[in-house]
Short mmCIF file of all heavy atoms in Angstrom, two decimals:
data_model
loop_
_atom_site.label_atom_id
_atom_site.label_comp_id
_atom_site.label_asym_id
_atom_site.label_seq_id
_atom_site.Cartn_x
_atom_site.Cartn_y
_atom_site.Cartn_z
N VAL A 255 113.44 38.22 249.75
CA VAL A 255 114.87 38.59 249.72
C VAL A 255 114.97 40.11 249.66
O VAL A 255 114.33 40.77 248.82
CB VAL A 255 115.60 37.98 248.52
CG1 VAL A 255 117.06 38.34 248.53
CG2 VAL A 255 115.43 36.44 248.54
N SER A 256 115.77 40.66 250.56
CA SER A 256 116.11 42.09 250.51
C SER A 256 117.37 42.28 249.66
O SER A 256 118.40 41.62 249.97
CB SER A 256 116.31 42.64 251.91
OG SER A 256 116.77 43.97 251.85
N PRO A 257 117.36 43.11 248.64
CA PRO A 257 118.54 43.21 247.80
C PRO A 257 119.72 43.91 248.45
O PRO A 257 120.85 43.92 247.93
CB PRO A 257 118.03 44.03 246.59
CG PRO A 257 116.88 44.79 247.14
CD PRO A 257 116.26 43.92 248.20
N ASP A 258 119.49 44.56 249.60
CA ASP A 258 120.59 45.18 250.36
C ASP A 258 120.16 45.30 251.81
O ASP A 258 119.00 45.04 252.16
CB ASP A 258 120.96 46.59 249.78
CG ASP A 258 119.73 47.47 249.65
OD1 ASP A 258 118.74 47.23 250.37
OD2 ASP A 258 119.81 48.46 248.87
N VAL A 259 121.12 45.66 252.61
CA VAL A 259 120.86 45.76 254.05
C VAL A 259 119.86 46.86 254.34
O VAL A 259 119.06 46.78 255.31
CB VAL A 259 122.19 45.96 254.83
CG1 VAL A 259 121.91 46.10 256.31
CG2 VAL A 259 123.13 44.78 254.56
N GLY A 260 119.90 47.93 253.58
CA GLY A 260 119.00 49.06 253.84
C GLY A 260 117.52 48.74 253.60
O GLY A 260 116.67 49.46 254.13
N GLY A 261 117.23 47.69 252.87
CA GLY A 261 115.83 47.33 252.62
C GLY A 261 115.31 46.23 253.48
O GLY A 261 114.26 45.64 253.13
N VAL A 262 115.99 45.89 254.58
CA VAL A 262 115.56 44.77 255.43
C VAL A 262 114.22 45.06 256.06
O VAL A 262 113.33 44.18 256.12
CB VAL A 262 116.61 44.52 256.50
CG1 VAL A 262 116.11 43.49 257.50
CG2 VAL A 262 117.90 44.02 255.87
N VAL A 263 113.98 46.26 256.50
CA VAL A 263 112.71 46.63 257.16
C VAL A 263 111.54 46.45 256.17
O VAL A 263 110.48 45.89 256.49
CB VAL A 263 112.75 48.04 257.70
CG1 VAL A 263 111.39 48.43 258.29
CG2 VAL A 263 113.83 48.16 258.77
N ARG A 264 111.76 46.92 254.95
CA ARG A 264 110.73 46.79 253.91
C ARG A 264 110.48 45.30 253.59
O ARG A 264 109.32 44.89 253.46
CB ARG A 264 111.15 47.53 252.66
CG ARG A 264 110.13 47.52 251.53
CD ARG A 264 110.65 48.17 250.27
NE ARG A 264 111.14 49.52 250.50
CZ ARG A 264 112.41 49.89 250.55
NH1 ARG A 264 113.37 48.96 250.38
NH2 ARG A 264 112.78 51.13 250.75
N ALA A 265 111.52 44.53 253.45
CA ALA A 265 111.37 43.12 253.12
C ALA A 265 110.71 42.35 254.26
O ALA A 265 109.91 41.43 254.03
CB ALA A 265 112.72 42.52 252.77
N ARG A 266 111.05 42.69 255.50
CA ARG A 266 110.44 42.00 256.66
C ARG A 266 108.93 42.27 256.71
O ARG A 266 108.14 41.36 256.96
CB ARG A 266 111.09 42.45 257.94
CG ARG A 266 110.59 41.67 259.18
CD ARG A 266 111.16 42.23 260.46
NE ARG A 266 112.60 41.97 260.56
CZ ARG A 266 113.50 42.97 260.55
NH1 ARG A 266 113.09 44.22 260.47
NH2 ARG A 266 114.77 42.70 260.65
N ALA A 267 108.51 43.51 256.46
CA ALA A 267 107.11 43.82 256.46
C ALA A 267 106.39 43.09 255.34
O ALA A 267 105.24 42.66 255.49
CB ALA A 267 106.92 45.32 256.33
N PHE A 268 107.08 42.96 254.19
CA PHE A 268 106.49 42.25 253.08
C PHE A 268 106.35 40.78 253.37
O PHE A 268 105.36 40.11 253.00
CB PHE A 268 107.34 42.46 251.81
CG PHE A 268 106.68 42.08 250.52
CD1 PHE A 268 105.84 42.97 249.87
CD2 PHE A 268 106.93 40.83 249.96
CE1 PHE A 268 105.24 42.58 248.67
CE2 PHE A 268 106.33 40.46 248.78
CZ PHE A 268 105.48 41.34 248.13
N ALA A 269 107.36 40.20 254.04
CA ALA A 269 107.33 38.78 254.38
C ALA A 269 106.17 38.46 255.34
O ALA A 269 105.56 37.37 255.28
CB ALA A 269 108.65 38.35 254.99
N LYS A 270 105.85 39.40 256.24
CA LYS A 270 104.74 39.14 257.19
C LYS A 270 103.40 39.05 256.44
O LYS A 270 102.53 38.32 256.85
CB LYS A 270 104.69 40.25 258.22
CG LYS A 270 105.86 40.21 259.22
CD LYS A 270 105.71 41.28 260.27
CE LYS A 270 106.83 41.23 261.27
NZ LYS A 270 106.73 42.33 262.32
N LYS A 271 103.27 39.79 255.34
CA LYS A 271 102.06 39.72 254.56
C LYS A 271 101.93 38.41 253.81
O LYS A 271 100.85 38.04 253.39
CB LYS A 271 102.03 40.88 253.53
CG LYS A 271 102.05 42.28 254.18
CD LYS A 271 100.78 42.61 254.94
CE LYS A 271 100.84 44.02 255.46
NZ LYS A 271 99.57 44.37 256.19
N LEU A 272 103.06 37.72 253.61
CA LEU A 272 103.06 36.44 252.90
C LEU A 272 103.11 35.28 253.89
O LEU A 272 103.97 34.42 253.82
CB LEU A 272 104.20 36.37 251.92
CG LEU A 272 104.17 37.33 250.73
CD1 LEU A 272 105.41 37.24 249.92
CD2 LEU A 272 102.92 37.02 249.84
N SER A 273 102.21 35.31 254.83
CA SER A 273 102.12 34.24 255.86
C SER A 273 103.43 34.07 256.61
O SER A 273 103.85 32.95 256.91
CB SER A 273 101.70 32.90 255.21
OG SER A 273 100.45 33.02 254.55
N ASP A 274 104.06 35.20 256.89
CA ASP A 274 105.30 35.22 257.67
C ASP A 274 106.35 34.34 257.01
O ASP A 274 106.94 33.47 257.63
CB ASP A 274 105.04 34.75 259.10
CG ASP A 274 106.10 35.26 260.07
OD1 ASP A 274 106.91 36.13 259.64
OD2 ASP A 274 106.13 34.85 261.24
N ALA A 275 106.63 34.63 255.75
CA ALA A 275 107.64 33.87 254.98
C ALA A 275 109.03 34.15 255.50
O ALA A 275 109.27 35.19 256.13
CB ALA A 275 107.53 34.24 253.49
N PRO A 276 109.99 33.23 255.30
CA PRO A 276 111.35 33.47 255.73
C PRO A 276 111.99 34.62 254.97
O PRO A 276 111.55 34.99 253.89
CB PRO A 276 112.05 32.13 255.47
CG PRO A 276 111.22 31.44 254.45
CD PRO A 276 109.79 31.89 254.69
N LEU A 277 113.06 35.11 255.55
CA LEU A 277 113.74 36.31 254.98
C LEU A 277 115.22 35.97 254.71
O LEU A 277 115.86 35.26 255.43
CB LEU A 277 113.68 37.45 256.02
CG LEU A 277 114.26 38.81 255.58
CD1 LEU A 277 113.44 39.39 254.43
CD2 LEU A 277 114.24 39.76 256.79
#
Side-chain angles (χ1 to χ4, degrees):
V255 181
S256 174
D258 53 21
V259 178
V262 172
V263 176
R264 183 186 304 107
R266 184 186 294 114
F268 194 84
K270 289 182 179 180
K271 299 291 184 179
L272 293 174
S273 301
D274 203 9
L277 182 65

